[in-house]
Amino acid sequence: MTSASSPLLEIIGLSVNYGGIQALQEIDLMIHPGEVVTLIGANGAGKSTTLRAISRIVNPRAGHIIYAGRNITRCQAHETVKLGIAHSPEGRRVLSRQTVLDNLELGAYTRSHPQQIKADIEQQFETFPRLAERRHQLAGTLSGGEQQMLAIARALMSRPKLLLLDEPSLGLAPAIVREIFGIIQKLRITGVTILLVEQNANLALQYADRGYVLEAGRLTFTGSAADLLEDDRVKHAYLG
């Protein structure tokens, strides 16, 4: 990744309302190919709303979302998947009454080459060996950590260029969190661009290139991850 490259994602003046409540207020954000960028902030700051707007689950009131040079602000959610954006949502949202294998196959629903899909499933099983062991198990019977792995693997089945990860460590034991972030590091090495929302700001900034701080729907700080880790305001508010 070089700063001279064109951004893969550019958000310009994005505002989102939920009823009468303004969830996002004119935020600007940019991600270059190959970067891991983290969005940190308190609960209710608008982090998940930002990801939902990018993946077109919620509609902006104003602003533009530019992905790979194309304005996707009015695209449908399934169109963004075809374009190369995958969203692993907060709370995992696996299909609990379907098997691990079924969940992965459904992650490839926009694709049409069975042999490639089969090969990619095997690739996910190499990346997530626990899922390989449980391929015929119902997703709802997996542990929280295994469900999180499945949510990420399912998102990767669409072969995304941009992966939106929403709270991947939420509710997980420290050992599982380290495993999940080890996988995020591997994805970064393979060139997947990642926008990471993570309650554990300290951990997120250790793995990210850059960060944005969101407070009450507004972006308040931005900078390199290293600079944000040393910023007294960020330390006081988010790093403990």
Side-chain angles (χ1 to χ4, degrees):
M1 186 274 297
T2 64
S3 58
S5 63
S6 298
L8 180 63
L9 180 76
E10 189 171 10
I11 291 174
I12 306 162
L14 187 70
S15 296
V16 174
N17 281 22
Y18 286 132
I21 299 167
Q22 192 162 30
L24 292 177
Q25 301 178 51
E26 298 183 0
I27 71 166
D28 297 328
L29 184 150
M30 188 181 291
I31 304 175
H32 288 89
E35 279 193 307
V36 176
V37 173
T38 187
L39 193 56
I40 61 177
N43 283 333
K47 305 185 302 297
S48 293
T49 299
T50 303
L51 298 193
R52 291 182 190 127
I54 295 166
S55 60
R56 303 304 306 110
I57 296 168
V58 301
N59 290 317
R61 182 180 58 80
H64 299 284
I65 302 164
I66 312 297
Y67 170 76
R70 172 176 173 169
N71 191 330
I72 64 165
T73 315
R74 299 299 165 204
C75 282
Q76 299 295 311
H78 69 275
E79 293 174 312
T80 67
V81 178
K82 287 182 179 177
L83 290 170
I85 299 173
H87 188 167
S88 178
E90 181 183 2
R92 280 107 47 192
R93 308 280 177 89
V94 296
L95 297 168
S96 60
R97 296 186 179 185
Q98 303 292 326
T99 66
V100 166
L101 196 55
D102 291 337
N103 271 266
L104 294 178
E105 287 173 346
L106 285 163
Y109 77 98
T110 61
R111 298 171 54 194
S112 56
H113 294 88
Q115 290 308 115
Q116 289 180 4
I117 291 169
K118 188 176 179 182
D120 282 4
I121 287 172
E122 291 307 315
Q123 178 61 53
Q124 297 313 320
F125 286 150
E126 284 182 30
T127 305
F128 303 90
R130 292 186 196 207
L131 298 183
E133 295 165 12
R134 292 158 173 73
R135 66 180 71 199
H136 299 301
Q137 197 168 317
L138 295 182
T141 66
L142 301 176
S143 71
E146 290 161 354
Q147 287 189 18
Q148 184 62 69
M149 292 174 192
L150 179 56
I152 295 172
R154 182 181 61 187
L156 291 171
M157 283 301 298
S158 65
R159 290 191 173 179
K161 295 183 182 72
L162 175 63
L163 178 61
L164 309 176
L165 280 180
D166 197 351
E167 300 286 8
S169 80
L170 191 66
L172 302 182
I176 302 297
V177 171
R178 284 193 295 274
E179 198 171 335
I180 296 287
F181 272 80
I183 289 160
I184 290 170
Q185 180 69 5
K186 285 179 187 172
L187 292 174
R188 169 207 203 134
I189 291 166
T190 65
V192 178
T193 306
I194 297 171
L195 178 55
L196 170 66
V197 162
E198 175 54 59
Q199 196 66 36
N200 186 335
N202 207 335
L203 184 64
L205 289 169
Q206 288 174 41
Y207 283 84
D209 296 294
R210 294 186 299 110
Y212 290 86
V213 179
L214 196 57
E215 295 180 353
R218 292 182 182 274
L219 287 175
T220 53
F221 310 121
T222 182
S224 72
D227 287 347
L228 290 176
L229 278 167
E230 294 302 319
D231 188 292
D232 287 338
R233 298 163 299 181
V234 176
K235 278 184 182 178
H236 177 73
Y238 303 108
L239 304 183

